[in-house]
Amino acid sequence: MSRFPFSLSAFLNRQPRAFYGWRTGPCKTSTRTYARRLRADDSIIEAEWKGQLYSWKTIGLCSIPLIALGLGVWQVQRLKWKLSLLDEVNDRMHRRPIALPLKLTTDDVNRNEYRRVLVYGVFDHDNEMLIGPRSYEAEPGFIVVTPLVREDGSKILVNRGWIKRELKDPKTRPESQTTDPVTVVAFVRKAPTKGSFTPNSDADKGDWYSLDLELMAKHTNSQQVLLETIEPDSVATTIYNIKKGIPLGVPQQVDIRNNHLQYLITWFSLAAITGGMLIYRLRRPRGAASTIKRLRSQSGRLL
């Protein structure tokens, strides 16, 4: 007689009962324990393993750590790219200013973005454009963009900076309306992207809600080149400019968001957690009752 008289078919015809294990109180019999008590062969254990391995829950749980791991690796690459970009921007910003050529191409703008440049010309205040509303330290106001007429008569757009809402009318800020030639120290910038919820600007009405470089250049007959003036180092000068309506330029340190490290930690943590859940599911003993129910359903037998 075989040492294991109960086979898979015999296992299916038995009904597991509750028993008292080493834990306090009754617990449900696991498939392995129940098969061992019946001295059944290993086909029952194999059936249990295949049932856990090839279930939809296991397949779905396998996909989560793989996807999270892939996104984590992608964020590692993005973090390296962002750190390299920050180093390049920081290097450009600390180079000595250069004279801006009269004729610029898109490649020149891309190559010199965040580079300080010197530009000589006269501001065309008649075509001044106010973008807004924009706030500065919780105070509402506008961004002033003015064409600068250069030596050869060509124009470029200069983002001069922020002014208070009360000084929207140029007559209230005469010190910002100088007609003398000026030398501007500014950053070269690309055209910013308009937000999806930002309304379209109306050049005919003078309503500007975003810095639409193409539309502004067409409206003022300027080159599609954008410069941003730099705010003064002195706090006293900054306070004076705000009070008198002289536009406040951008900070000398440009803040570029870099959240890729947080994303990286999030995705790898999710991969580790869901991977642990997957291992726990595959190693957790399955109840004998559920195994019998599943095997009987597969074999077409009635419960």
Side-chain angles (χ1 to χ4, degrees), residues 189-203:
R189 290 300 311 272
K190 294 180 182 178
T193 304
K194 184 175 78 71
S196 55
F197 298 101
T198 304
N200 293 326
S201 300
D202 190 336

Side-chain angles (χ1 to χ4, degrees), residues 73-87:
V73 173
W74 178 60
Q75 287 299 328
V76 171
Q77 298 173 351
R78 294 283 295 173
L79 178 62
K80 292 180 179 178
W81 168 80
K82 183 57 70 69
L83 292 176
S84 176
L85 175 63
L86 291 173
D87 291 340

Side-chain angles (χ1 to χ4, degrees), residues 151-166:
E151 301 96 310
D152 63 345
S154 63
K155 298 180 182 180
I156 58 175
L157 296 175
V158 179
N159 177 1
R160 300 180 63 195
W162 178 88
I163 59 171
K164 295 192 295 184
R165 181 173 57 186
E166 299 80 45

Side-chain angles (χ1 to χ4, degrees), residues 92-112:
R92 290 181 182 179
M93 293 179 65
H94 288 85
R95 294 178 187 174
R96 62 179 181 84
I98 60 174
L100 189 70
L102 293 175
K103 299 297 183 180
L104 288 171
T105 64
T106 304
D107 292 337
D108 294 330
V109 174
N110 295 335
R111 185 171 58 253
N112 291 294

Side-chain angles (χ1 to χ4, degrees), residues 32 48-49 51-55 58 61-62 276-286:
R32 299 188 180 211
E48 178 204 24
W49 169 254
Q52 287 184 304
L53 184 62
Y54 298 112
S55 67
T58 303
L61 195 57
C62 280
M277 293 171 61
L278 175 62
I279 295 173
Y280 172 76
R281 172 176 172 78
L282 295 177
R283 293 179 61 88
R284 184 186 62 180
R286 191 183 184 94

Side-chain angles (χ1 to χ4, degrees), residues 263-280:
Y263 298 153
L264 181 155
I265 295 174
T266 300
W267 288 121
F268 280 140
S269 299
L270 181 61
I273 293 172
T274 54
M277 293 171 61
L278 175 62
I279 295 173
Y280 172 76

Side-chain angles (χ1 to χ4, degrees), residues 168-179:
K168 178 179 179 180
D169 188 353
K171 295 179 181 179
T172 61
R173 44 185 172 88
E175 294 188 30
S176 70
Q177 303 293 303
T178 176
T179 57

